[in-house]
Amino acid sequence: KKSRQALFKKKALILGKGKIGKKVFEKMKLFMDVDSYDILTDKPESLKGKLNHADVISIHIPLNSDTKGIINSEFLSNMKDGALLVNTARAPIINETDLFNEIKSKRIKCALDVFWDEPYKKNLSTFDHNHLSFTPHLASTCKEFLISAEKDLHNFLKKL
């Protein structure tokens, strides 16, 4: 039986300093040591050191031509052994083949709620839940999200 470890001793890395990334950063810093990285504002050479120290990496970057496949074998190989990669942004930000090979090695873990195809039935679905977890991308259906979206819409309309 494994003992649980205290979160306050863990380090999180938030990828992306946009609206969602900033909110996740603020919430996580209440109980973890949190750092962030953004491809638009931070030096690329600083990422490797941040990956080496992070126990959890949470992706909050948009999908575009610059970010498609940015999480690749080099990125994954620089992650700390036993680290958890969480993708709630867009699946193609991660190179699917490179993730498959890294999960196969059982060196890191991954949690996904976004996929390359729906329903997802490709290679990654063959792994046990000890190294890869799938959840549906349902945040937008909760009551709190809908209330927040309504407020955002009203604020947007006021600015017009």
Side-chain angles (χ1 to χ4, degrees):
K1 182 177 175 178
K2 279 188 167 182
S3 62
R4 294 186 297 167
Q5 297 177 358
L7 285 177
F8 74 89
K9 293 183 177 184
K10 300 292 184 183
K11 296 181 186 293
L13 175 61
I14 309 301
L15 294 182
K17 295 180 183 178
K19 188 174 182 181
I20 295 171
K22 286 178 185 174
K23 284 185 179 183
V24 172
F25 183 97
E26 289 302 313
K27 291 186 183 291
M28 299 282 290
K29 78 176 187 177
L30 298 173
F31 53 91
M32 294 180 81
D33 181 14
V34 183
D35 197 358
S36 63
Y37 178 85
D38 194 288
I39 61 172
L40 297 176
T41 59
D42 296 314
K43 295 179 180 178
E45 57 271 15
S46 70
L47 180 59
K48 184 177 179 181
K50 292 178 185 231
L51 292 173
N52 285 312
H53 293 96
D55 296 294
V56 176
I57 300 166
S58 187
I59 304 169
H60 303 282
I61 56 178
L63 175 63
N64 58 42
S65 59
D66 293 329
T67 62
K68 185 175 183 178
I70 198 167
I71 310 293
N72 56 23
S73 59
E74 180 182 357
F75 179 103
L76 296 167
S77 69
N78 285 309
M79 287 176 59
K80 179 179 178 179
D81 287 354
L84 171 65
L85 179 66
V86 178
N87 189 5
T88 59
R90 298 289 180 257
I93 292 169
I94 300 176
N95 179 297
E96 185 178 9
T97 302
D98 292 347
L99 179 63
F100 175 83
N101 291 330
E102 193 63 43
I103 296 296
K104 188 167 78 173
S105 77
K106 298 186 177 182
R107 197 183 64 77
I108 65 167
K109 297 179 181 187
C110 186
L112 304 170
D113 84 338
V114 290
F115 306 96
W116 297 265
D117 295 310
E118 299 271 350
Y120 186 80
K121 295 182 190 273
K122 291 185 180 177
N123 291 342
L124 289 168
S125 62
T126 62
F127 290 112
D128 63 46
H129 295 293
N130 291 323
H131 289 87
L132 184 66
S133 296
F134 294 141
T135 60
H137 192 73
L138 294 175
S140 63
T141 61
C142 68
K143 178 182 173 184
E144 293 78 5
F145 174 83
L146 296 173
I147 291 168
S148 177
E150 180 182 21
K151 288 178 185 175
D152 287 346
L153 176 61
H154 286 294
N155 290 335
F156 175 75
L157 292 173
K158 284 180 190 176
K159 289 178 183 178
L160 291 177

